[in-house]
Every structure is written in structure tokens, then in C-alpha cells.
Amino acid sequence: MAKVNRPGSTSPPDGGWGWMIVAGCFLVTICTRAVTRCISIFFVEFQTYFAQDYAQTAWIHSIVDCVTMLCAPLGSAVSNHLSCQVGIMLGGLLASTGFILGSFATSLKHLYLTLGVLTGLGFALCYSPAIAMVGKYFSRRKALAYGIAMSGSGIGTFVLAPVVQLLIEQFSWRGALLILGGFVLNLCVCGALMRPITLKEDRSSSEQKCDCRTQKEDCKRASPYSPLTKEWAQTCLCCSLQQEYSFLLMPDFVVLAVSVLFMAYGCSPLFVYLVPYALSVGVSHQQAAFLMSILGVIDIIGNITFGWLTDRRCLKNYRYVCYLFAVGLDGLCYLCLPMLRSLPLLVPFSCTFGYFDGAYVTLIPVVTAEIVGTTSLSSALGVVYFLHAVPYLVSPPIAGWLVDTTGSYTAAFLLCGFSMIFSSVLLGFARLVKRMKRTQLPFLAKESDPKLQLWTNGSVAYSVARELDQKDGASVATAAPGYNLT
């Protein structure tokens, strides 16, 4: 589809076609994040069919998550330099191909390559560009728009979890993968909805890119193979990268990035091991899948209600605090999980964890946008989701290794819980230090400023600041001979 530019759009419309963008992003999160979560339902089937242990089987889910996040900057680059529509459509084709080829797998290694790498790459081209598009169309109601869009992950999990279990029972795991391959082709439809928009803050960067292209073309006309042309190409590339990734030097973004590493390590294993853990404590297969459905539907409530609440005037300035609060409470839920060994106890856990999982997932792009701005949001989200990659890759196998070594899930769940709590504490500590510096700065500036002087005339005192430095001291003394310096 041809790229449609709208030069007249100077600010986010907060509605109109923006709601179609939200609908498209909603479907993208269903086809990417919800389907990825439902891969854990295949866990027992893969383990039984290929006769492998927990750690080996867990690599499938890890690779999908890792490649999705690791290649997120690639998705942002395709979106920035071609179009969001092209990136998402291409991603849909790749993801579908991965599922279809995975249905013919004869070993876990085949699943690593098809269901893991190929599908993950397709999801990467779709996920971060779709989320960034919502941020371009909304400003005042950004958190609510993100809440609705990101709720696709929860709604998709709620609907797909029992459906996937039924497909496995009716058509075996091969038939279920084949059907899911057809389902994720809907990403191509989602891509068609992503109509580009040009914002006021995008124009300066666009003009600089146009100037760079014009100069490069002039050099090519003069001599396409001259050293000057190559030098201009390198300069333009460096300029473009510096513009797109200048946020990497922001202290606030660095702290957020480090905290994301610990948060991502903790959040992933639950979606792999909740069903196996429930089966290990005597819960039936259908009831275990039902726990995933509960997790999904409560995730929806967390997405939408937290998005709506943090758009209210009373909480709009505290979205950062709400985010770290939600991450910390998910960590506390993890610490309680080893003590919950029956369905009536696991249901409240799924509700609580699902709610706060939906809450902080909604606020990730909102908090990122507050730190880096809308212009760099696509690239920043690519980096943020890229940082999820390594934790997503290593955390399920590490958890599986702990389960194989200790014979229980306790150590795995405790490690995940403390990781998420540390992420929350790190963000809180950084915000506290920043606030203390802001409070102390005016007092330190006033005390350390030697140019701040006090002039008196009888009982009236005048505070004379730096502007007096521009005047000649002798002329001031001549003009006001009666004033005394104290």
C-alpha cells in the first residue's frame, strides 16, 4: 500500500483514524504476544513427543520471545525508513511461515529454527512499529489508547488458551500449529490499517533528512564514485543514527533500560511454567489452561483500567510511580506462588498477577514516551524491547534448570520475584535521587554564586543579580555614590 503523507497534521488528533490504529495495534498484540503466550500450552506435548527435559523444551518459548525483542530495533528501522505498513505485512508473512514449517518439525532443533527464529523475526517486525503508531495518534488520551491496544494480549490469551488446548486434542500439536499459522496471517490486515501521519515535531528531523539526501544526490551527479560522495554517505548515515538514537545518552533512559532487564527476567517464566506447575500440584489439563485464561482476562482489566486511571488529572503526573508500583507487586505475587498448591489458591494468584502485568505493560510505552518524546518513540521502543531479549532467552531455561536440579518450582519462582522487585526498587531509588538533586540545586546555586550581591539604601534592600556584570563598575559607583556595599 502506498505511503500516505499528511503534511497538514501538526499535532496528534486524539481520535478519528487514531481509533483504527488502536484497533490494528490491538489485533497485532493478539497475533504476537497472545499467541506467544499460548505456545506454553504446547510445552507438555513437545516434552512428551520429543522425550526431552524441561530446560531443552523451554528453549522454544525463550527463542520466540528473545528473537521478537532482539530484532525489535530492526522492526523500528524498517518502519522508519520504509513504512509501518510494509514492516507489519512482511512480519505477518514471516510469522505465518514459521508456524506452518514448525508443524512439520521432526526434532526440537527444527522448532528452534522455525517456531523460534522465523516466527520471532516476523513478530519483531510487527510489534514495536504498531505500538509506536498509537503514540503518534494520541497525546491527551495516550494511556487509555495504549490500555485498549495492549489489552489484545490479555483478550487473546483468554480466548486462545482453551481454543489451542482444544485444537491440540482434536488435531494434535501439528494441526494446531498449522491453524495458528493461518491465524497470524491476519497481521497483514493489521498492517494495512497503519496510515502514516506527519507531526509537527517530526518536521525538523524530516527537513534535515531531506537536506542530507539533496546534498548526496548533488554529489552523485557530479561524480557517483568520487571519495566526496562516499564521505557524504557516511556523514548522512552517522547524522541519521545520531538523531534516531540520541536518547541513549539520557540518564533517565539508561536507568529505565537497566530496570527493564531485571523486569523482563522475572516476567517471562510464569507464562511457560504456570501450566506445568498447576499440573504438578494435581490440577487437570483443562483447569490449568483455564488459569491461563483467567490470567488473560484479568490482564485486559489491568490494561484498560490502569490506562484510564493514569490519564486522570490526579495520576497523570505519577505514571512513573504507578509503573514501578505494578512491577513490584508482580514480584511479590511470585514470592507467594510456591505456597499456592491448589486450584482455589491459584485462581486469586492468576487474577492478581494478571492485573498488575496488564498495568505495567500498558505503561511501558507511556513512560518511554515521557522520557524520550514522540519523535524518538519508535526507536526507543525498539531498544526497550531489544533489552527484553536476553532475559527472555535465558530466564525460562534457567528456571527449567532449577526445576530439574531442585525437583521443585520454589527456587525458580523466588528468583523471578526478587528480580522484579529489584527492578521496581531501582526505578524508585533513581527517581528519589533525581528529586533530591532538584531540591538542593537552587540552594547550592544561591550559596555558590559569588556574583549575587546585596545593595542597601536605608531600610530598603535590593538584590542585584548577574545582570550587573554587564555594567561598568565605575559608572555604577558614580551614578549612585550614596549606596554602600554590605
Side-chain angles (χ1 to χ4, degrees):
M1 182 175 289
K3 187 173 180 178
V4 180
N5 291 315
R6 299 206 163 193
S9 299
T10 58
S11 60
D14 269 306
W17 190 260
W19 294 117
M20 294 302 294
I21 300 295
V22 169
C25 187
F26 175 84
L27 292 173
V28 168
T29 55
I30 289 178
C31 294
T32 56
R33 302 313 300 156
V35 169
T36 301
R37 289 180 178 183
C38 289
I39 290 175
S40 64
I41 298 174
F42 291 89
F43 188 93
V44 177
E45 299 296 326
F46 292 153
Q47 190 181 25
T48 304
Y49 186 87
F50 295 109
Q52 297 291 337
D53 58 17
Y54 276 89
Q56 293 294 321
T57 311
W59 276 105
I60 299 170
H61 190 279
S62 297
I63 292 171
V64 177
D65 265 338
C66 175
V67 175
T68 300
M69 301 307 174
L70 191 67
C71 297
L74 177 62
S76 298
V78 172
S79 173
N80 291 338
H81 296 284
L82 296 177
S83 76
C84 186
Q85 295 168 320
V86 171
I88 293 177
M89 289 179 176
L90 178 60
L93 291 173
L94 288 174
S96 178
T97 303
F99 272 102
I100 293 170
L101 293 178
S103 67
F104 298 100
T106 56
S107 69
L108 281 182
K109 291 181 181 177
H110 293 166
L111 288 174
Y112 293 162
L113 292 174
T114 56
L115 192 58
V117 176
L118 194 57
T119 299
L121 178 60
F123 287 167
L125 295 178
C126 301
Y127 190 54
S128 57
I131 293 172
M133 282 297 290
V134 176
K136 286 181 175 287
Y137 272 84
F138 287 87
S139 176
R140 186 169 51 87
R141 291 181 284 189
K142 183 179 289 186
L144 176 60
Y146 271 123
I148 296 171
M150 304 297 282
S151 67
S153 177
I155 291 175
T157 305
F158 175 72
V159 174
L160 289 178
V163 170
V164 169
Q165 183 65 44
L166 184 63
L167 290 174
I168 292 172
E169 293 172 0
Q170 295 293 323
F171 304 104
S172 80
W173 63 267
R174 294 185 185 275
L177 286 180
L178 193 62
I179 293 170
L180 284 177
F183 176 74
V184 298
L185 271 176
N186 286 294
L187 287 167
C188 296
V189 179
C190 302
L193 295 174
M194 298 296 166
R195 181 186 295 168
I197 183 173
T198 303
L199 300 177
K200 185 189 298 182
E201 51 216 73
D202 294 334
R203 288 184 176 179
S204 59
S205 58
S206 298
E207 288 170 1
Q208 290 177 3
K209 288 179 183 177
C210 288
D211 291 342
C212 189
R213 289 195 195 102
T214 304
Q215 291 171 350
K216 187 177 177 181
E217 287 173 4
D218 292 341
C219 289
K220 282 185 176 180
R221 288 192 197 100
S223 177
Y225 302 102
S226 68
L228 184 60
T229 303
K230 295 179 181 178
E231 185 179 344
W232 270 115
Q234 293 174 355
T235 304
C236 289
L237 179 62
C238 292
C239 222
S240 175
L241 290 174
Q242 186 177 4
Q243 274 185 339
E244 287 185 22
Y245 294 98
S246 60
F247 58 85
L248 291 173
L249 300 178
M250 295 180 180
D252 286 346
F253 185 81
V254 172
V255 173
L256 178 66
V258 174
S259 73
V260 161
L261 291 172
F262 290 95
M263 180 271 292
Y265 179 90
C267 71
S268 180
L270 182 78
F271 297 99
V272 180
Y273 292 107
L274 179 59
V275 171
Y277 174 71
L279 294 174
S280 72
V281 297
V283 176
S284 69
H285 282 269
Q286 286 294 338
Q287 289 174 333
F290 180 62
L291 286 174
M292 288 293 291
S293 295
I294 293 174
L295 194 68
V297 73
I298 301 300
D299 193 289
I300 303 163
I301 298 172
N303 286 141
I304 298 174
T305 58
F306 238 68
W308 180 82
L309 285 172
T310 52
D311 268 343
R312 301 305 95 196
R313 187 174 298 175
C314 57
L315 290 177
K316 202 163 191 174
N317 295 327
Y318 299 98
R319 288 168 174 168
Y320 190 96
V321 177
C322 292
Y323 168 77
L324 65 90
F325 176 75
V327 172
L329 285 180
D330 259 3
L332 290 176
C333 290
Y334 256 124
L335 301 185
C336 299
L337 183 55
M339 298 180 286
L340 311 177
R341 305 185 64 81
S342 65
L343 183 65
L345 294 177
L346 288 172
V347 169
F349 165 82
S350 294
C351 293
T352 308
F353 188 93
Y355 182 82
F356 289 109
D357 179 74
Y360 77 74
V361 166
T362 294
L363 291 178
I364 286 175
V366 177
V367 170
T368 305
E370 287 182 354
I371 292 174
V372 305
T374 305
T375 304
S376 302
L377 181 58
S378 180
S379 301
L381 283 176
V383 173
V384 167
Y385 292 129
F386 169 82
L387 293 171
H388 285 66
V390 174
Y392 276 9
L393 178 67
V394 301
S395 59
I398 288 175
W401 176 78
L402 289 172
V403 172
D404 292 333
T405 304
T406 63
S408 74
Y409 291 84
T410 302
F413 290 151
L414 290 180
L415 182 60
C416 293
F418 284 122
S419 179
M420 296 192 80
I421 290 172
F422 178 77
S423 172
S424 177
V425 170
L426 178 64
L427 286 173
F429 180 74
R431 179 52 62 96
L432 183 63
V433 169
K434 186 176 180 181
R435 185 165 294 181
M436 289 173 63
K437 284 184 177 180
R438 281 181 179 174
T439 305
Q440 293 176 358
L441 190 61
F443 297 103
L444 292 174
K446 188 180 292 185
E447 291 175 0
S448 62
D449 193 351
K451 298 178 181 179
L452 189 64
Q453 313 240 348
L454 186 65
W455 294 72
T456 61
N457 181 16
S459 61
V460 181
Y462 299 93
S463 178
V464 182
R466 297 177 183 268
E467 287 80 3
L468 285 181
D469 290 343
Q470 300 173 1
K471 299 181 180 180
D472 184 58
S475 63
V476 172
T478 306
Y483 285 26
N484 294 316
L485 181 64
T486 60

